Amino acid sequence: MYSDLIVESGADLAQDTLGTLLSILRDGQPRTRAELVQLTGLARSTVSQRLDALLFHRWIVPAEHAISSGGRPSTAFAFNPRARIVLAVDLGVTHARLAVTDLSGSIVAERTCDVAIAQGPEPSLNWLLETFTELLAGCGHRMADVCGAGVGLPGPVEHDTGRPVNPPLMPGWDGFSVADWLGSRIGAPVLVDNDVNIMALGEHSAAGPQTDHLLFTKVGTGIGCGIISGGRLHRGARGAAGDIGHIRVPGSEVVCHCGNTGCLEAVAGGGAVAARLRAEELEAADARDVVRLVRAGNTWAIRQVRQSGRDLGLVLASIVNFFNPTEIVIGGDLADAGEHLIAGIREAIYGRSLPLATQWLNIRASDLGASAGVTGAASMIIEHVLTPESVEQSIRS
Amino acid sequence: MYSDLIVESGADLAQDTLGTLLSILRDGQPRTRAELVQLTGLARSTVSQRLDALLFHRWIVPAEHAISSGGRPSTAFAFNPRARIVLAVDLGVTHARLAVTDLSGSIVAERTCDVAIAQGPEPSLNWLLETFTELLAGCGHRMADVCGAGVGLPGPVEHDTGRPVNPPLMPGWDGFSVADWLGSRIGAPVLVDNDVNIMALGEHSAAGPQTDHLLFTKVGTGIGCGIISGGRLHRGARGAAGDIGHIRVPGSEVVCHCGNTGCLEAVAGGGAVAARLRAEELEAADARDVVRLVRAGNTWAIRQVRQSGRDLGLVLASIVNFFNPTEIVIGGDLADAGEHLIAGIREAIYGRSLPLATQWLNIRASDLGASAGVTGAASMIIEHVLTPESVEQSIRS
């Protein structure tokens, strides 16, 4: 029994050691071998062996000569963010944004394109692979340099398996294993999540770790929310957390396509606002047209966007009481209407939420805008790639 | 610069080593010195030194003689849950429950008493100290054996400082440092939180770690919610998370004491239900009287409790869409009305929440009942006391 335990824990030991060393070195400050021995309490031979492996696989690089108190200077080592690159994509229904980043999340190359996700998974993903291959070539890289990919999709995703689950806007994608299909072709792990979750990760990485509890709300045709609790993405029991589009707006009886009445999406989404403008003989097919009218100063459009903000704010007011976020970030097509939407949201939240919960609450438009998705997709896969398990595996393989 | 770093990290090193050893030993399985060296990758001298300190302070005990392959048998060491005891108290407005537990959370002694929290903090806490002293004596312990106390209070608490914040039912307690006052008298750390949060911790520790996302809803005169996200208590930006009593119930215009209309508490709380029963000439001062009438089979009382469940369910339905919990546990005085309340809650949630979010959702009455609070208060302080920082400090002092 004991010997089983010890054999099994050989890998654990190696991983724990790597994890300890990486977590120290990832802050970017170079450290000597002696410092690492002292900082970790690990045996000198263990530290040396792990450093050699990390050096050999370029996870770390010799950085500078540290000043030692007499004798010859010792070499210091630093984490190497250019050791590998990752692919990040925010795949929308009609548009896609692709990025290649290093391990610090800095964007090396980026591209936005039109795409028709409705053509099904294989044509869409083949197109994605070709476009990534071009993008890599343009910045002097090959697919072999890629250590992982983060993918955002416009529908519900089972994160653990990387498969869409009954996605309403993605015909043919239900249950298709995006992670396996892409992973086997790029030869590296692929993590998949819905677009709102990766945007929340992106906004959180931009806001900084002191923003513990962040809600990212995307207001487009649909309305969804990405939730950061205690610095971590809250996906919920079935990955369905943040699906606020069908929460009832108090007082509304509008019939929603889901069969219920008063759903937030049917009351305050971009399509609902556009429909109200069409009823006033204005030309508005979707949220983008609404934004165009608002920017042109159309009073009726401004009035409707503000009302959409108030209705969204009524639902967020309940969520603020329940969740007590540090910050609420608003993004999505309708957010481009600017302060009119945010003003309506603030009005309702401050009118209805508890004083303690709103005292320091920051409600603002997204800083990252259209880049939030790829920023978050990159951050999601980088955190995975830099786990001790993954680094250990890259060294063994 | 480097030498500063290394001096500062001396304590970190010791803590990390302790943390590693304790996390291995807390599973209860005895390990020999050689196994611990192999499991941790730490230098043999480091492991020996830390084990000696842990043994000296009784955090671990020699457990059994492991079978070695020839030579004399080696001593194995195991975590000692009886190394210290903790105090746990769930202090209500009129009742208190006190417990003494070991470091596994097993209750050694327990007592429930009447108490008048409105007499202010010092008389209440002096009474608490005296009662704990008696309880300790009764089970053969002294205050010197106590390594920490967990306290639940019936109002908002700033957890980091252990102070109530404008607690409506606790006159004189606003800003009083319960943690400092008690901590200096028992000579050990004290953690304080509101009653609903400690109950959520208790229910989560009873439900087991596979229940990642749990909501505990307390339905008494007031209504509040404790939130577990990813196995951890979600307190929110200002510790106000879970304050759902003033979320608006769709369709209701009842005026609440807070000045808003349609607040959940004013519609579905024990006081509101009792008031509706009094309007029908029934004798019902509070939630307990309502439960008495329900148990006696009074049709009107049953009807009102079920309606209270439906109204609560309407608010929880929105929260289920947003949060996608694994489990919702219902407690508090009105929960003693049994399945009538839960049936109303289920009816509204299944009628309004998204199918994906309710597919595996478990909605049930509390198993722990009145013990949830002390169970959670003990669990909160035990997790704190067994952090490497705390164990290290106990060894140094």
Short mmCIF file of all heavy atoms in Angstrom, two decimals, chain B residues 218-251:
data_model
loop_
_atom_site.label_atom_id
_atom_site.label_comp_id
_atom_site.label_asym_id
_atom_site.label_seq_id
_atom_site.Cartn_x
_atom_site.Cartn_y
_atom_site.Cartn_z
N LYS B 218 -32.48 31.30 4.37
CA LYS B 218 -33.11 31.28 5.69
C LYS B 218 -34.40 32.09 5.63
O LYS B 218 -34.39 33.27 5.27
CB LYS B 218 -32.16 31.91 6.72
CG LYS B 218 -32.71 31.86 8.13
CD LYS B 218 -31.81 32.61 9.11
CE LYS B 218 -32.45 32.63 10.48
NZ LYS B 218 -31.80 33.59 11.38
N VAL B 219 -35.51 31.43 5.95
CA VAL B 219 -36.80 32.11 5.92
C VAL B 219 -37.34 32.19 7.34
O VAL B 219 -37.84 31.21 7.89
CB VAL B 219 -37.82 31.35 5.03
CG1 VAL B 219 -39.01 32.24 4.72
CG2 VAL B 219 -37.18 30.86 3.75
N GLY B 220 -37.16 33.36 7.94
CA GLY B 220 -37.72 33.60 9.27
C GLY B 220 -38.53 34.87 9.16
O GLY B 220 -39.25 35.05 8.20
N THR B 221 -38.38 35.76 10.16
CA THR B 221 -39.01 37.08 10.04
C THR B 221 -38.38 37.79 8.84
O THR B 221 -39.06 38.33 7.99
CB THR B 221 -38.78 37.88 11.33
OG1 THR B 221 -39.27 37.11 12.41
CG2 THR B 221 -39.48 39.21 11.28
N GLY B 222 -37.06 37.76 8.79
CA GLY B 222 -36.35 38.26 7.62
C GLY B 222 -36.03 37.09 6.68
O GLY B 222 -36.27 35.93 7.01
N ILE B 223 -35.50 37.43 5.50
CA ILE B 223 -35.10 36.40 4.54
C ILE B 223 -33.70 36.72 4.04
O ILE B 223 -33.43 37.85 3.59
CB ILE B 223 -36.09 36.33 3.35
CG1 ILE B 223 -37.49 35.94 3.85
CG2 ILE B 223 -35.60 35.34 2.29
CD1 ILE B 223 -38.54 35.85 2.76
N GLY B 224 -32.78 35.76 4.16
CA GLY B 224 -31.41 35.99 3.70
C GLY B 224 -30.86 34.74 3.06
O GLY B 224 -31.44 33.65 3.17
N CYS B 225 -29.71 34.89 2.41
CA CYS B 225 -29.16 33.78 1.64
C CYS B 225 -27.64 33.72 1.84
O CYS B 225 -26.97 34.75 1.83
CB CYS B 225 -29.51 34.05 0.17
SG CYS B 225 -29.05 32.76 -0.95
N GLY B 226 -27.13 32.52 2.08
CA GLY B 226 -25.67 32.32 2.13
C GLY B 226 -25.26 31.61 0.86
O GLY B 226 -25.94 30.68 0.42
N ILE B 227 -24.16 32.05 0.26
CA ILE B 227 -23.79 31.63 -1.10
C ILE B 227 -22.45 30.91 -1.09
O ILE B 227 -21.44 31.48 -0.66
CB ILE B 227 -23.67 32.87 -2.02
CG1 ILE B 227 -24.95 33.71 -1.98
CG2 ILE B 227 -23.31 32.46 -3.44
CD1 ILE B 227 -24.78 35.10 -2.57
N ILE B 228 -22.42 29.66 -1.57
CA ILE B 228 -21.16 28.96 -1.76
C ILE B 228 -20.92 28.86 -3.28
O ILE B 228 -21.71 28.27 -4.00
CB ILE B 228 -21.20 27.53 -1.17
CG1 ILE B 228 -21.61 27.55 0.31
CG2 ILE B 228 -19.87 26.81 -1.39
CD1 ILE B 228 -20.55 28.03 1.28
N SER B 229 -19.82 29.47 -3.75
CA SER B 229 -19.45 29.40 -5.17
C SER B 229 -18.13 28.66 -5.28
O SER B 229 -17.13 29.06 -4.67
CB SER B 229 -19.30 30.81 -5.74
OG SER B 229 -18.52 30.80 -6.92
N GLY B 230 -18.12 27.55 -6.01
CA GLY B 230 -16.87 26.80 -6.18
C GLY B 230 -16.30 26.34 -4.84
O GLY B 230 -15.09 26.34 -4.65
N GLY B 231 -17.18 25.96 -3.90
CA GLY B 231 -16.73 25.44 -2.62
C GLY B 231 -16.36 26.52 -1.60
O GLY B 231 -16.03 26.19 -0.47
N ARG B 232 -16.41 27.79 -2.00
CA ARG B 232 -16.01 28.85 -1.08
C ARG B 232 -17.17 29.81 -0.82
O ARG B 232 -17.98 30.06 -1.70
CB ARG B 232 -14.84 29.65 -1.68
CG ARG B 232 -13.63 28.79 -1.97
CD ARG B 232 -12.46 29.64 -2.43
NE ARG B 232 -12.81 30.47 -3.58
CZ ARG B 232 -11.93 31.24 -4.21
NH1 ARG B 232 -10.67 31.30 -3.79
NH2 ARG B 232 -12.30 31.96 -5.26
N LEU B 233 -17.22 30.36 0.39
CA LEU B 233 -18.26 31.33 0.72
C LEU B 233 -18.04 32.59 -0.11
O LEU B 233 -16.95 33.16 -0.15
CB LEU B 233 -18.19 31.65 2.21
CG LEU B 233 -19.35 32.47 2.77
CD1 LEU B 233 -20.66 31.71 2.66
CD2 LEU B 233 -19.08 32.84 4.23
N HIS B 234 -19.10 33.01 -0.82
CA HIS B 234 -19.05 34.27 -1.58
C HIS B 234 -19.67 35.37 -0.72
O HIS B 234 -20.88 35.38 -0.50
CB HIS B 234 -19.83 34.12 -2.89
CG HIS B 234 -19.96 35.41 -3.63
ND1 HIS B 234 -18.99 35.87 -4.50
CD2 HIS B 234 -20.90 36.39 -3.60
CE1 HIS B 234 -19.34 37.05 -4.98
NE2 HIS B 234 -20.50 37.38 -4.45
N ARG B 235 -18.81 36.27 -0.19
CA ARG B 235 -19.31 37.34 0.69
C ARG B 235 -19.61 38.63 -0.07
O ARG B 235 -20.29 39.51 0.42
CB ARG B 235 -18.29 37.66 1.80
CG ARG B 235 -18.12 36.54 2.81
CD ARG B 235 -17.26 36.98 3.99
NE ARG B 235 -17.26 35.96 5.03
CZ ARG B 235 -16.37 34.98 5.12
NH1 ARG B 235 -15.41 34.88 4.23
NH2 ARG B 235 -16.45 34.08 6.09
N GLY B 236 -19.05 38.76 -1.29
CA GLY B 236 -19.28 39.97 -2.08
C GLY B 236 -18.35 41.10 -1.69
O GLY B 236 -17.58 41.00 -0.72
N ALA B 237 -18.44 42.19 -2.47
CA ALA B 237 -17.49 43.29 -2.34
C ALA B 237 -17.51 43.92 -0.95
O ALA B 237 -16.48 44.27 -0.40
CB ALA B 237 -17.79 44.35 -3.39
N ARG B 238 -18.70 44.07 -0.36
CA ARG B 238 -18.81 44.72 0.95
C ARG B 238 -19.39 43.77 1.98
O ARG B 238 -19.94 44.20 3.00
CB ARG B 238 -19.71 45.95 0.83
CG ARG B 238 -19.25 46.97 -0.19
CD ARG B 238 -18.23 47.91 0.40
NE ARG B 238 -18.85 48.74 1.43
CZ ARG B 238 -18.17 49.39 2.35
NH1 ARG B 238 -16.87 49.29 2.42
NH2 ARG B 238 -18.79 50.14 3.24
N GLY B 239 -19.30 42.47 1.73
CA GLY B 239 -19.85 41.49 2.67
C GLY B 239 -21.36 41.47 2.65
O GLY B 239 -21.99 40.87 3.52
N ALA B 240 -21.98 42.12 1.63
CA ALA B 240 -23.44 42.24 1.61
C ALA B 240 -24.11 41.19 0.73
O ALA B 240 -25.33 41.20 0.57
CB ALA B 240 -23.84 43.64 1.12
N ALA B 241 -23.31 40.28 0.14
CA ALA B 241 -23.91 39.28 -0.75
C ALA B 241 -24.95 38.45 0.00
O ALA B 241 -24.79 38.18 1.20
CB ALA B 241 -22.84 38.38 -1.35
N GLY B 242 -25.99 38.04 -0.69
CA GLY B 242 -27.01 37.18 -0.11
C GLY B 242 -28.15 37.93 0.56
O GLY B 242 -29.06 37.32 1.12
N ASP B 243 -28.10 39.27 0.50
CA ASP B 243 -29.13 40.06 1.17
C ASP B 243 -30.35 40.17 0.24
O ASP B 243 -30.63 41.22 -0.35
CB ASP B 243 -28.55 41.44 1.50
CG ASP B 243 -29.24 42.04 2.71
OD1 ASP B 243 -30.32 41.54 3.08
OD2 ASP B 243 -28.70 43.01 3.28
N ILE B 244 -31.09 39.06 0.12
CA ILE B 244 -32.16 38.98 -0.88
C ILE B 244 -33.51 39.45 -0.35
O ILE B 244 -34.49 39.47 -1.09
CB ILE B 244 -32.30 37.55 -1.45
CG1 ILE B 244 -32.73 36.56 -0.36
CG2 ILE B 244 -30.98 37.07 -2.06
CD1 ILE B 244 -33.08 35.18 -0.90
N GLY B 245 -33.58 39.83 0.92
CA GLY B 245 -34.86 40.19 1.55
C GLY B 245 -35.54 41.39 0.92
O GLY B 245 -36.75 41.57 1.08
N HIS B 246 -34.77 42.23 0.21
CA HIS B 246 -35.36 43.43 -0.38
C HIS B 246 -35.35 43.39 -1.91
O HIS B 246 -35.48 44.42 -2.57
CB HIS B 246 -34.70 44.69 0.18
CG HIS B 246 -34.90 44.79 1.66
ND1 HIS B 246 -36.01 45.35 2.23
CD2 HIS B 246 -34.15 44.29 2.69
CE1 HIS B 246 -35.94 45.23 3.55
NE2 HIS B 246 -34.81 44.59 3.85
N ILE B 247 -35.18 42.20 -2.47
CA ILE B 247 -35.38 42.03 -3.91
C ILE B 247 -36.89 42.08 -4.16
O ILE B 247 -37.69 41.57 -3.36
CB ILE B 247 -34.80 40.67 -4.40
CG1 ILE B 247 -33.27 40.72 -4.31
CG2 ILE B 247 -35.26 40.36 -5.83
CD1 ILE B 247 -32.59 39.46 -4.80
N ARG B 248 -37.27 42.71 -5.29
CA ARG B 248 -38.69 42.89 -5.56
C ARG B 248 -39.34 41.60 -6.07
O ARG B 248 -38.82 40.97 -6.98
CB ARG B 248 -38.85 43.98 -6.61
CG ARG B 248 -40.29 44.29 -6.85
CD ARG B 248 -40.44 45.58 -7.61
NE ARG B 248 -41.84 45.96 -7.60
CZ ARG B 248 -42.28 47.10 -8.09
NH1 ARG B 248 -41.43 47.97 -8.58
NH2 ARG B 248 -43.57 47.38 -8.06
N VAL B 249 -40.47 41.25 -5.48
CA VAL B 249 -41.27 40.13 -5.99
C VAL B 249 -42.11 40.68 -7.15
O VAL B 249 -42.89 41.62 -6.94
CB VAL B 249 -42.20 39.56 -4.90
CG1 VAL B 249 -43.05 38.43 -5.46
CG2 VAL B 249 -41.39 39.09 -3.70
N PRO B 250 -41.96 40.11 -8.36
CA PRO B 250 -42.73 40.61 -9.50
C PRO B 250 -44.22 40.63 -9.18
O PRO B 250 -44.75 39.66 -8.65
CB PRO B 250 -42.42 39.61 -10.63
CG PRO B 250 -41.13 38.98 -10.24
CD PRO B 250 -41.11 38.96 -8.75
N GLY B 251 -44.85 41.77 -9.47
CA GLY B 251 -46.30 41.85 -9.30
C GLY B 251 -46.79 42.31 -7.94
O GLY B 251 -47.97 42.57 -7.76
#
